Amino acid sequence: MSESSTATKPAPQNSDGPANRIRKDLFPTPFSKEYWYLAACEMKSTRMLVLAAVITALRVGVKAFSIPIAANLSITFGFLFNSVGSMIYGPVMAILASAVSDTLGAIIFPSGTYFFPFIFVEIAGGLLFALFFYRAPITGLRVILARFSVTLVCNIILNPLIMIPYYTLYMGKAYNFLSLPRMIKNLALFPLEALILVVLFNAILPVTNRMGLTFTGNTKLKLNKKEIITLIVLTVVSALAIVVYCLIVDLI
């Protein structure tokens, strides 16, 4: 498998760390030594460190805001800054930024008893977005799959796994891992969040590519017919899932 779409010779040095920003390598997958070399080089860039600090501050700041959709169902905006930041500075810095974001969020906007393992949910989200978006050819399908992967891994699998010991230690009761309302809730939000990401990337990619912050191979997300149909179907499924969720909550 070819490791990237361009040459892979080590980049020269400049005043802002390795000149990986001069290179416009695109990688169809993250399974490449050169991919991780360039991602690690972002840690030596003053520009990327400052940008990561700004995006992390924004991620923490929006933790207190949400838009209610139904009872106990609301959409938050942290994933927007998370996805954009991970796309710009890659998986290595995304891990660090996510850890800082979770810690600061717990301090500034505490919600219940602090439980350290929840930091891995935030880290997993940043890492997954980076693996899908950093130096990758961005398409509508890739955006949809990225959002679905984060929903599945972080919200449906990892978060409940951590909730089990949390409930045992701090609440003295068992936690239901296979919770139908929770699964429906996450499935209901996924299509809407994927659509928001597509709109956001369409707006910012021309700017970030022009500034040399991203290398996506295109400046606009042009959805093909299958991707448009997929989003429409997912939106309908989302609406139905919200209705079912509300009915279940009312019955409970």
Side-chain angles (χ1 to χ4, degrees), residues 67-88:
I67 297 178
I69 298 176
N72 299 317
L73 183 65
S74 60
I75 185 168
T76 57
F77 302 99
F79 76 96
L80 298 177
F81 296 103
N82 189 7
S83 59
V84 172
S86 298
M87 175 176 62
I88 292 173

Side-chain angles (χ1 to χ4, degrees), residues 1 10 19 21 39 41 50 62 106 109 111-112 139 143 147 157 168 170-171 193 230 234 245-246:
M1 180 184 295
R21 284 282 132 188
C41 284
V50 171
V62 299
F109 304 110
S111 177
T139 63
V143 173
R147 183 60 243 183
I157 298 177
T168 302
Y170 296 108
M171 305 184 72
E193 292 170 341
T230 299
L234 288 174
Y245 175 79
C246 292

